[in-house]
Amino acid sequence: MNAKGPLDTLVTVYGGSGFLGRHVVRALARRGYRIRVAVRRPELTGHLQPLGRVGQIHAVQANLRDAASVAAAAQGASALINLVGILFERGRQRFSAVHTSGAQHVASTAKAQGARLVHVSAIGADEKSSSLYARSKAAGERAVLAALASAVIVRPSILFGPEDDFFNRFAALARISPALPLIGGGSTRFQPVFAGDVATAIADAVEGKAVGGTTYELGGPEVRTFKELMEFVLKTIERRRLLIPLPFFVARTQATILQFLPKPPLTPDQVELLRTDNVVSDAAQREGRTLQALGIDPDTMETIVPTYLWRFRKTGQFHGRVA
Ligand SMILES: NC(=O)c1ccc[n+]([C@@H]2O[C@H](COP(=O)([O-])OP(=O)(O)OC[C@H]3O[C@@H](n4cnc5c(N)ncnc54)[C@H](OP(=O)(O)O)[C@@H]3O)[C@@H](O)[C@H]2O)c1
């Protein structure tokens, strides 16, 4: 990334303690970078320590809503990565404060100290969306590019990996429930992508292998409907369950109540998100703004997901059906 080698190069990862963060920190640690993880609760980053050598990974407190703490966490860093995102609003954690103003704080900091910036958004980011999440992500992208035109933006589709919140959640639900819901009939299309592949793309972008000012759309090798994904979960965990279509308005009504749970399984805003396909656009493919264009051959969910969903089988790691 510059004349310095990775060992002398500090990268600050905002949101590095989350699901994608673990994969990004691992990718950077393997390449020898010094990593500063900036989160609100640095005491919850112990799981990252084994990913690097002693002293290679260090956590500091920062809140994206507080510009001064964002700048303090960036001191001396040659690259900044912003992974901070929320799926529902709570207290002062509003979509606009985190996804838009917070993203702008990181980008202004990168600009002020001449650091490279990789900003993580999401496929579906759209200022015209009926989902506040999607609108705030789009506004965040715009704020980032206005502050630093050379920023690299990556928009993943739904992520999978051992700690994911999608396959694990529906497998856990299938264990206790006789049926799985097909929200909106289950026809929304997704392009699930391995968190490790997205982390490789982000680490490559830190090294200048992505084109600055470009928005990459990162999807896996397969496009599947929500219904097909539920069928894949059931097959993987060797369980039979009913798949019950739930019209959007019914899901929305349920979500209106569920949203008040401490960690809501569904919110009305997420139901809105499910109305739109979550796949890499034709334009991104045409213009080479994909994983493949970055030289990454993405892993399939068939190879990765069974390696961690087996725990939801009745027989655990042993197959129930024998040849
Ligand atoms: N998971 C997916 O399927 C998916 C799909 C598309 C896009 N994305 C995007 O990818 C990014 C990473 O997602 P993820 O699944 O890894 O999320 P995650 O597991 O929820 O992690 C979020 C991280 O952000 C930190 N954080 C939250 N609020 C913060 C704040 N105000 N200031 C500083 N840090 C804050 C959290 O730590 P503390 O709580 O300790 O601060 C945590 O480290 C997000 O931008 C998300 O929108 C994810």
Side-chain angles (χ1 to χ4, degrees), residues 178-213:
L180 293 181
L182 296 180
I183 296 166
S187 58
T188 310
R189 291 154 69 240
F190 292 88
Q191 199 166 344
V193 60
F194 178 42
D197 289 326
V198 173
T200 302
I202 291 171
D204 283 353
V206 163
E207 296 184 336
K209 295 176 189 159
V211 183

Side-chain angles (χ1 to χ4, degrees), residues 61-315:
Q61 188 168 40
N63 190 328
L64 240 60
R65 305 191 315 264
D66 176 51
S69 72
V70 170
Q75 270 185 16
S78 309
L80 311 183
I81 300 173
N82 180 11
L83 303 178
V84 177
I86 53 173
L87 273 174
F88 54 88
E89 299 187 311
R90 276 292 177 278
R92 276 178 281 180
Q93 286 278 91
R94 315 311 294 178
F95 286 132
S96 61
V98 176
H99 294 161
T100 312
S101 317
Q104 202 255 327
H105 292 153
V106 178
S108 305
T109 302
K111 169 83 176 170
Q113 69 180 58
R116 196 166 261 161
L117 172 64
V118 186
H119 174 76
V120 177
S121 182
I123 284 187
D126 176 3
E127 300 211 26
K128 297 198 189 87
S129 169
S130 56
S131 149
L132 195 50
Y133 170 93
R135 290 204 301 275
S136 66
K137 280 285 195 185
E141 291 182 359
R142 193 155 45 86
V144 164
L145 289 175
L148 184 69
S150 62
V152 172
I153 294 179
V154 301
R155 291 176 167 185
S157 182
I158 192 146
L159 297 167
F160 62 84
E163 315 80 13
D164 73 47
D165 207 25
F166 184 83
F167 290 111
N168 281 303
R169 178 191 297 213
F170 285 105
L173 183 61
R175 195 160 54 176
I176 55 168
S177 158
L180 293 181
L182 296 180
I183 296 166
S187 58
T188 310
R189 291 154 69 240
F190 292 88
Q191 199 166 344
V193 60
F194 178 42
D197 289 326
V198 173
T200 302
I202 291 171
D204 283 353
V206 163
E207 296 184 336
K209 295 176 189 159
V211 183
T214 301
T215 301
Y216 288 85
E217 297 188 1
L218 308 185
E222 308 125 324
V223 172
R224 296 282 171 84
T225 63
F226 188 84
K227 183 177 180 205
E228 287 167 343
L229 292 176
M230 291 305 105
E231 288 168 345
F232 168 68
V233 168
L234 292 174
K235 186 168 168 254
T236 306
I237 65 172
E238 300 176 350
R239 288 175 192 265
R240 287 178 181 205
R241 293 291 183 265
L242 291 172
L243 293 176
I244 302 192
L246 209 60
F248 281 119
F249 77 92
V250 178
R252 218 190 135 87
T253 311
Q254 290 187 350
T256 308
I257 300 160
L258 292 172
Q259 68 178 325
F260 296 109
L261 290 172
K263 192 182 172 207
L266 193 67
T267 65
D269 199 67
Q270 288 165 1
V271 174
E272 290 309 306
L273 265 183
L274 283 169
R275 289 179 187 272
T276 315
D277 286 343
N278 200 283
V279 296
V280 173
S281 66
D282 291 341
Q285 287 182 27
R286 241 187 356 260
E287 294 159 13
R289 298 184 281 109
T290 59
L291 274 178
Q292 289 80 356
L294 290 169
I296 298 165
D297 183 19
D299 273 312
T300 63
M301 54 185 205
E302 278 83 4
T303 34
I304 307 274
V305 175
T307 65
Y308 58 91
L309 274 202
W310 57 260
R311 65 197 178 94
F312 296 99
R313 290 183 193 142
K314 278 191 193 134
T315 52

